[in-house]
Amino acid sequence: MAKKQLPYVIGCDGGGTGCRVVLADAQGQVLARASGGPANATSDFALTITSLSAALAEAAAQTGLSPQALRASVAHFGLAGVVSPAVAAQVAAALPFDHITVTSDREVAVTGALGGADGVLLAIGTGTIVAAQRAGQRRDAGGWGLQLSDQASGGWLGRALLEQVLLCHDGLHPHSDLTRATLADFGAPLDMVLFAAQAQPADYARFAPQVIAAAQAGDAVGRGLMQRGAAYLDLALKAVGFMPDEVLCLTGGIGPHYAAYLAAPAQAAITAARGSGLDGALWLALATARGLRGGAA
Amino acid sequence: MAKKQLPYVIGCDGGGTGCRVVLADAQGQVLARASGGPANATSDFALTITSLSAALAEAAAQTGLSPQALRASVAHFGLAGVVSPAVAAQVAAALPFDHITVTSDREVAVTGALGGADGVLLAIGTGTIVAAQRAGQRRDAGGWGLQLSDQASGGWLGRALLEQVLLCHDGLHPHSDLTRATLADFGAPLDMVLFAAQAQPADYARFAPQVIAAAQAGDAVGRGLMQRGAAYLDLALKAVGFMPDEVLCLTGGIGPHYAAYLAAPAQAAITAARGSGLDGALWLALATARGLRGGAA
């Protein structure tokens, strides 16, 4: 009997702004990387599948693999908005893999940053992930989406900026360079209000870099927003039981920018992450592939 | 030549939760009152026209007036979400009147509460209206819609409660009877998050009575939310130049409940409103009708 071909392995990390996939051989050697559009399975399921499919097609095209070889891969997808097993099953059913595991982006972020080791993660991108991992057990806080949660995230920072702009325009708070420039970019308050009526978290998150840069330059409103975000993160760290002797990783597009605003014990505990959420997804897929081979032996 | 028949007069006050219409004769004698569904022209234009048409049909049915008599009425519609002349024109074009004026609900709320007199209004329902009227000039603050504004409103109170419930569930803040009961009503945090993914301001505003009642009963979270709302209103009063010797009216379903939480000078200035927003709409329509008759004389 011919030796069964080892499967390819696929990892994917998807968030509100975009998704990234990595395709590797059975030893974890990376063959292709590709990225695509937003992948929040709860906010927009159809767009999520479109984004993922485009990124997968791009990765396949880079390697010249047949559709059949791709289907036989072992895949781990970690996506924003996978809030229940039902959503995970819906995503898995919509993608062309024989062996696929779908989790929230929290799982791949924690595995990427900490591997299997103990520690605490603040992964702040379009949304917010706060998670502690101790002896393989997780303790989570926040990250329930921008409507009611996701404090400190890029989406939250951007929306909070626009709220401040209106408060300044109405004379309740004093303008700063940041609020004046933001209002000038829109032209009039009403244009900002009409933007917000349609805005998704990723749309708000596009203003986060301006908040971060203004805060660094000493802008009072920018600093105030970063301090409010950091105050939430300090409370969330307390809620997941963070202790000063633990490892603390700050990842995501926004996370590292909070370093200077956190309470001193948290600042002192900051350690470089082992890898990205995409690395975490690949490692989880490789672990599943090893398990499948082990089970077949 | 036969004396021209005096037109009927129609007033309408529409907000995020519902709309009310009043039909009167040319002397202002009320012939019928009716109410209908939500009327926020920006959030949902089609629903607004449906709600208004249903309320108008109900008022017409009560009086047995012909469609032609209704068309010849002089109407004033004050609606939430009329944020520009373009939206006002769109509403006017969709309704069957020869003489119709469409403004935001702010105009009819101010006229209803103050008539033409000087004073300051806090009209807090599903949304927020803060307006000062002095010598016929208006000065406004806030009320830009729940996405970025409408602090202290019913929609804001309800959404702020659900945010607090998640913060308590995650262990960042201590639970109170109010947050425990709210979470128990939903069953699980995820059900609340899925509710929020679809919720309009009026959906959130349905939780405002529970916040108000809990605050009255001394619930710490309930009191905290009312105090945050009142702190916004105190700042907004300052922004529109409120002085302690002015008249201050608190109207809307939520407004009067803030009386006890406002700063002392504001509390001391509270005066009963002359009328409701619906009264204001009718008075504005009657003024227009008098002007039309005067112009024809």
Side-chain angles (χ1 to χ4, degrees), chain B residues 73-241:
Chain B
S73 305
V74 175
H76 190 109
F77 280 59
L79 307 176
V82 174
V83 292
S84 67
V87 176
Q90 210 184 347
V91 173
L95 293 173
F97 297 107
D98 296 335
H99 296 290
I100 178 169
T101 309
V102 178
T103 63
S104 82
D105 51 348
R106 195 179 282 267
E107 269 74 10
V108 301
V110 170
T111 301
L114 303 172
D118 288 2
V120 179
L121 172 66
L122 302 177
I124 320 290
T126 303
T128 298
I129 292 170
V130 177
Q133 180 171 264
R134 297 186 192 94
Q137 297 292 308
R138 272 243 314 283
R139 194 162 157 189
D140 299 328
W144 298 96
L146 186 58
Q147 279 99 359
L148 300 181
S149 181
D150 276 7
Q151 291 90 341
S153 70
W156 179 91
L157 273 179
R159 189 183 61 187
L161 168 62
L162 302 193
E163 285 171 358
Q164 280 299 315
V165 169
L166 289 178
L167 290 170
C168 297
H169 169 81
D170 288 338
L172 279 74
H173 292 180
H175 263 300
S176 76
D177 289 347
L178 174 63
T179 58
R180 262 188 227 98
T182 307
L183 185 53
D185 283 347
F186 274 101
L190 181 57
D191 296 310
M192 216 168 77
V193 170
L194 295 175
F195 164 85
Q198 307 291 332
Q200 295 293 312
D203 301 317
Y204 287 122
R206 287 200 291 269
F207 295 92
Q210 292 157 237
V211 176
I212 292 165
Q216 280 169 342
D219 183 274
V221 171
R223 285 191 61 82
L225 294 174
M226 294 302 289
Q227 286 161 348
R228 270 172 58 194
Y232 170 83
L233 294 175
D234 280 326
L235 265 184
L237 285 174
K238 199 172 158 195
V240 299

Side-chain angles (χ1 to χ4, degrees), chain A residues 190-292:
Chain A
L190 180 58
D191 296 309
M192 215 167 77
V193 170
L194 295 175
F195 164 84
Q198 307 292 333
Q200 296 294 310
D203 301 317
Y204 287 122
R206 286 199 292 268
F207 295 92
Q210 291 157 238
V211 176
I212 292 165
Q216 278 169 342
D219 183 274
V221 171
R223 283 190 63 82
L225 294 175
M226 293 302 289
Q227 285 162 347
R228 269 172 58 196
Y232 169 83
L233 294 175
D234 280 326
L235 265 184
L237 284 174
K238 200 173 158 193
V240 299
F242 167 73
M243 300 295 280
D245 59 350
E246 288 186 297
V247 160
L248 174 63
C249 296
L250 265 57
T251 66
I254 310 289
H257 295 289
Y258 278 112
Y261 301 93
L262 295 174
Q267 284 194 38
I270 294 170
T271 307
R274 297 191 183 193
S276 67
L278 187 61
D279 294 325
L282 182 60
W283 298 342
L284 287 167
L286 282 165
T288 304
R290 277 194 296 272
L292 288 172

Side-chain angles (χ1 to χ4, degrees), chain A residues 116-193:
Chain A
D118 288 1
V120 178
L121 173 65
L122 302 177
I124 320 291
T126 303
T128 298
I129 292 170
V130 178
Q133 179 172 265
R134 298 185 192 94
Q137 298 291 308
R138 272 243 315 282
R139 195 161 158 191
D140 299 328
W144 298 97
L146 186 58
Q147 279 98 1
L148 301 181
S149 182
D150 275 8
Q151 291 90 341
S153 69
W156 179 91
L157 273 179
R159 189 183 61 188
L161 168 62
L162 302 194
E163 285 171 358
Q164 280 300 315
V165 169
L166 288 178
L167 290 170
C168 297
H169 169 80
D170 288 339
L172 279 74
H173 291 180
H175 263 299
S176 76
D177 288 347
L178 174 63
T179 58
R180 263 188 226 98
T182 306
L183 184 54
D185 282 348
F186 274 101
L190 180 58
D191 296 309
M192 215 167 77
V193 170

